Amino acid sequence: MTDHPRALLPSQHGAEEGGLTFVRTAPRHLVDRAAVAEVLITDWQRLGAETFRLGAQWPRGHSFYTPLAGSWHDPLLMAETLRQASSLVGHLYYGVPDGHPCSIEALDVEVVPAALLLGQRPAEVSLEVSCRDVRHHGGRLASMTLEAGFLRGDTFAGTGRLVLRNLEPPAEPPTDADAEAEANADVLPELSEAVPAVVVGRLHEHDVVLGMSKRPSEPGTYTWQLRVDPTHPVLYDPSADRIPPMLFLEAARQAAQAVCAPYRILPVDIRSAFRARAEPGLPCTVTAMQLPSQDAGEDAVVRVTATQDGQLVFDSVVVASLCD
């Protein structure tokens, strides 16, 4: 039977058989989303001490993670589903309090394109999640790694890995310097002129996270300014004290698309590391370069990095298939 409090149970249907339901979403605070419409997780079960099964539904027409080339669900839906799963599992089973600061240190997804093809109904996806390297400090969760296998019905759809670190709340009262840093974080840099939406595979300028850069690019590289838009309803939460990880993943995808233009891409493998805290109030430079393919089946391999004040804050490798 589904192992969560009855008050939070999304549905009783199917619970007796140990199945997952897809009829309503999880409470939004459990998955760290402000809007109910952005919640993907629908059900969850505890299978063992460190193993879980979760259900998620991917809409055929998400407001931001729109279908790629009109044929596939956006692979970043898999990344966002895993991020939401890590939040829910942390809150319900590892005692992470609401509002407690956490950070993602790595997020990898690898998809099976055939399993992401659009159907006539939303995709009902299950995740088999194992928590590894679970560490506690002072009675609290300190860090853990989530490894997930994704199924769409009975079809294997891909894998994911997320490394979560549970930050310690400040032990000392904030200093004047802390208050000044927090105030500066609320003042975001002026948005640079957006790269044309078609170049990065978007339909609307509001969804473009790469801006024109005044910094000259080295030969074989592409350089942009990261556009951190606090009004974006999906990528940015006004309460965020750092640049959200999904914004960086979108930057990596858009950068890979720009490098491969005019071909459209389907990312099939994204491996990302978040190297340091990325401050919303500081300019952030995104750089991309195409790497040699190591496999004959790989169409494009693009490395994307982001730096602030000369420090590497994000590093990603995107493997993509060319759609046309």
Side-chain angles (χ1 to χ4, degrees):
M1 191 164 181
T2 307
D3 186 357
H4 43 60
R6 183 174 296 272
L8 298 178
L9 190 65
S11 171
Q12 296 297 320
H13 177 69
E16 292 80 1
E17 293 77 26
L20 295 169
T21 63
F22 303 90
V23 297
R24 66 183 68 171
T25 59
R28 58 189 174 88
H29 71 279
L30 292 179
V31 298
D32 195 24
R33 294 299 319 192
V36 173
E38 301 304 324
V39 178
L40 301 174
I41 301 295
T42 62
D43 202 359
W44 56 95
Q45 303 168 337
R46 189 171 200 164
L47 304 180
E50 311 288 356
T51 57
F52 308 88
R53 179 182 293 127
L54 295 92
Q57 186 182 80
W58 297 345
R60 298 177 69 246
H62 192 275
S63 63
F64 178 75
Y65 296 115
T66 54
L68 296 188
S71 298
W72 293 276
H73 286 282
D74 187 340
L76 288 194
L77 280 171
M78 184 176 286
E80 172 61 10
T81 300
L82 183 55
R83 188 205 63 75
Q84 291 189 16
S86 72
S87 177
L88 184 143
V89 168
H91 285 311
L92 288 185
Y93 300 110
Y94 291 94
V96 177
D98 286 349
H100 191 79
C102 296
S103 68
I104 294 174
E105 295 189 339
L107 206 172
D108 308 331
V109 291
E110 184 174 4
V111 305
V112 178
L116 268 63
L117 287 170
L118 293 173
Q120 295 182 340
R121 298 171 56 85
E124 294 180 348
V125 180
S126 62
L127 296 73
E128 301 286 333
V129 176
S130 297
C131 295
R132 314 285 189 193
D133 302 323
V134 179
R135 294 184 172 87
H136 293 84
H137 178 71
R140 290 183 178 271
L141 176 71
S143 63
M144 66 178 176
T145 298
L146 288 83
E147 297 176 349
F150 289 77
L151 293 173
R152 183 177 179 182
D154 295 327
T155 302
F156 177 69
T159 60
R161 172 180 171 272
L162 185 150
V163 180
L164 184 70
R165 184 162 64 91
N166 196 21
L167 302 178
E168 289 289 339
E172 301 292 335
T175 65
D176 291 342
D178 293 331
E180 183 179 356
E182 184 175 350
N184 290 338
D186 292 336
V187 181
L188 299 181
E190 182 178 353
L191 289 178
S192 56
E193 179 185 355
V195 172
V198 66
V199 173
V200 294
R202 304 304 314 190
L203 296 175
H204 307 290
E205 180 180 308
H206 186 55
D207 292 332
V208 176
V209 301
L210 300 181
M212 299 294 189
S213 176
K214 298 178 182 179
R215 172 182 167 185
S217 298
E218 299 292 332
T221 67
Y222 301 75
T223 303
W224 305 273
Q225 286 298 117
L226 185 67
R227 304 178 81 238
V228 181
D229 183 354
T231 69
H232 198 282
V234 176
L235 289 177
Y236 194 82
D237 183 343
S239 65
D241 64 348
R242 66 194 66 212
I243 298 176
M246 291 304 298
L247 196 158
F248 275 121
L249 259 65
E250 178 62 22
R253 182 253 292 282
Q254 291 189 18
Q257 176 61 73
V259 169
C260 294
Y263 297 101
R264 301 179 72 180
I265 67 167
L266 173 67
V268 295
D269 191 348
I270 306 174
R271 300 183 182 274
S272 301
F274 303 88
R275 304 291 189 184
R277 178 189 177 98
E279 301 289 350
L282 295 177
C284 186
T285 300
V286 177
T287 303
M289 63 182 300
Q290 189 161 357
L291 303 177
S293 297
Q294 302 298 316
D295 189 318
E298 296 174 349
D299 290 328
V301 181
V302 180
R303 185 186 181 199
V304 182
T305 59
T307 57
Q308 280 189 330
D309 282 343
Q311 180 184 21
L312 180 68
V313 295
F314 173 73
D315 191 356
S316 182
V317 174
V318 180
V319 179
S321 295
L322 305 183
C323 300
D324 52 27

